[in-house]
Amino acid sequence: MTKTETKIIPVLVALMLGIFVSSLDNTIVAASMGTIVGDLGGLDKYVWITSAYLVAEMAGMPIFGKLSDMYGRKRFYVFGITLFLIGSILCGTAETMTQLAIYRAIQGVGGSALMPIAFTIIWDVLPLEKRASVGGWFGAVFGLSSVVGPLLGAFITDHISWHWIFYINIPIGIVALFLISVYYKESPKHNKAKIDWLGAFFLVGGTVALMFALELGGHTYAWDSMQIFSLFGLFVVAMIVLIFVERRAADPILPFYLFKRPVYLGTVLTGMLYGGVFMVATIYIPLYVQGVDGGTATNSGLLLLPMMVGTSVMAAISGNLANRFSFRSIMICAGILTFGTTILFGTLTPDTPRYLLTIYMVMLGVGIGPSFSILGTASLYKINPDERGTASATNNFIRSFGMTVGITIYGVIQRNLFSNGVPEMFQHMDSRAILSPELRAKIPAEILDKVTEILCSSIAQTFLWTLIPLSLAFFTMLLMGKAKMSDLHEK
């Protein structure tokens, strides 16, 4: 890599903008779905709008990571931004839910190239002493976009039009495309290898089957239906075949040999186990504010801001700390705070003061923040330059996989706790009415008190369920050993 020709600041800005828009699109659509369905119709296709993006994004990550190692980062990062922008424009022009789902998949394919390649480029163009700190800023951008998405989506939908939650990507993406095209000068020399198309086929096929099973189960089809069993069966078969294929591939798309390195294995497993708590807070704290406290959608969005601040600040700070302290030490300290805060969320009641909830949100943000930067940086520790794209993409893929599976499981837990707790005489009531201030005011006080108490209990208990993967994460953190950034030396 020709570091002297690359203009570092414009390139870093381009990478952060790419990360921002790609991760933003994971969450910004959620706040607008009600309006979109009301405009386009097709309530039966509601789930496909989210799943189409997630499936395409997750499936594409390992493939683009491998391709960037083989043929260069720049061309695939530019391709990713371009395809993402095309998908965004198409989404804004969609006239049916089917069209929107297809266009979201195009967006997802483009977005799958942005996050893993961005972290790889950092290691390619920056000196050792700056990699961790800049990785911290990248983690902060990811955390910021994850929390800002729902609030921004609600604001744009209410005050402009739902079409603009997609069009907003265009000016940001064009700036990123221009900066990376002009200022990133990449060496034309790369290690050519044969693409593992068979491995890519089973990886994508298995991922698609699992994602659809999780998205459709409990909504479109019952969990014990033949359709859901078949999808889970396809996933299991595809993963078994994938293992055999990858063990024999000359240059596998999913490099199992990386998992023989303790730091990498610990990083990947920790990310898979750790991320679900962040998603639970992002989804269920707004539900608590609206459903239990009786606040508005804007109130619930604003309450996420303290967590966003804590996440972003600590992601940046921990990136700098990685030069002085081991990845393991930083993550264990963060994990202890996250574990303790999760217990506090498990004590939520309808009478919990708003200021106390705000403090909890800040604490959780501080605990979660280091994972966004430390895990991305640690995943590339002592990884050869021609393997960095693959390593980064695999790490992001498995982390996204864990978060998606986790939030589905937690969703089932919360829904069952709530529905089983509501007395039979109240189950005919549309529970969504408690989320609307207007409809909420029409519910008799004795019914409202009972329902909100059960809803609060279901949310608190869901947080406590996240303590299981959090506890396991402490063991996976130990695999990271004493490794820290200062151990590395430029060759």
Side-chain angles (χ1 to χ4, degrees), residues 18-29 47-61 80 83-84 87-88 91 100-115 166 169 211-212 215:
I19 288 175
F20 182 78
V21 293
S22 65
S23 56
L24 186 71
D25 255 56
N26 277 319
T27 56
I28 194 172
V29 175
V47 70
W48 296 91
I49 306 307
T50 301
S51 62
Y53 184 89
L54 290 175
V55 166
E57 183 185 43
M58 284 183 58
M61 280 182 179
L83 192 61
F84 183 84
S88 297
C91 285
L100 185 56
I102 294 172
Y103 299 155
R104 286 280 286 163
I106 294 173
Q107 262 193 317
V109 173
S112 67
L114 301 182
M115 175 68 80
F166 302 110
N169 296 329
M211 290 293 292
F212 282 158
E215 292 290 343

Side-chain angles (χ1 to χ4, degrees), residues 219-391:
H219 299 283
T220 307
Y221 302 105
W223 285 109
D224 57 355
S225 67
M226 181 58 66
Q227 291 88 341
I228 301 302
F229 273 133
S230 298
L231 287 171
F232 278 124
L234 283 174
F235 165 71
V236 172
V237 170
M239 290 300 103
I240 292 174
V241 175
L242 177 66
I243 292 173
F244 283 102
V245 169
E246 296 300 88
R247 289 176 66 88
R248 290 164 174 75
D251 197 15
I253 196 79
L254 196 63
F256 291 123
Y257 62 85
L258 287 176
F259 299 119
K260 295 179 181 179
R261 305 177 184 184
V263 176
Y264 188 80
L265 178 61
T267 297
V268 169
L269 294 179
T270 299
M272 183 179 68
L273 295 168
Y274 204 79
V277 185
F278 179 78
M279 295 305 296
V280 167
T282 303
I283 292 173
Y284 291 113
I285 290 304
L287 181 62
Y288 173 88
V289 172
Q290 289 184 256
V292 179
D293 254 7
T296 63
T298 301
N299 293 148
S300 62
L302 289 174
L303 191 59
L304 292 175
L305 291 178
M307 184 174 73
M308 175 198 72
V309 172
T311 299
S312 301
V313 170
M314 280 309 300
I317 291 175
S318 59
N320 286 292
L321 292 176
N323 288 312
R324 299 176 54 194
F325 302 98
S326 69
F327 304 130
R328 179 184 65 184
S329 298
I330 297 172
M331 285 306 303
I332 287 178
C333 290
I336 291 172
L337 179 58
T338 302
F339 193 93
T341 307
T342 301
I343 294 176
L344 293 177
F345 276 114
T347 66
L348 288 177
T349 69
D351 300 321
T352 300
R354 184 67 62 87
Y355 79 87
L356 200 56
L357 188 58
T358 302
I359 293 174
Y360 294 169
M361 294 297 283
V362 173
M363 292 171 61
L364 186 62
V366 171
I368 294 290
S371 69
F372 287 117
S373 54
I374 294 299
L375 297 181
T377 301
S379 69
L380 297 176
Y381 178 80
K382 290 188 177 181
I383 299 293
N384 296 328
D386 59 353
E387 297 175 331
R388 287 173 184 167
T390 301

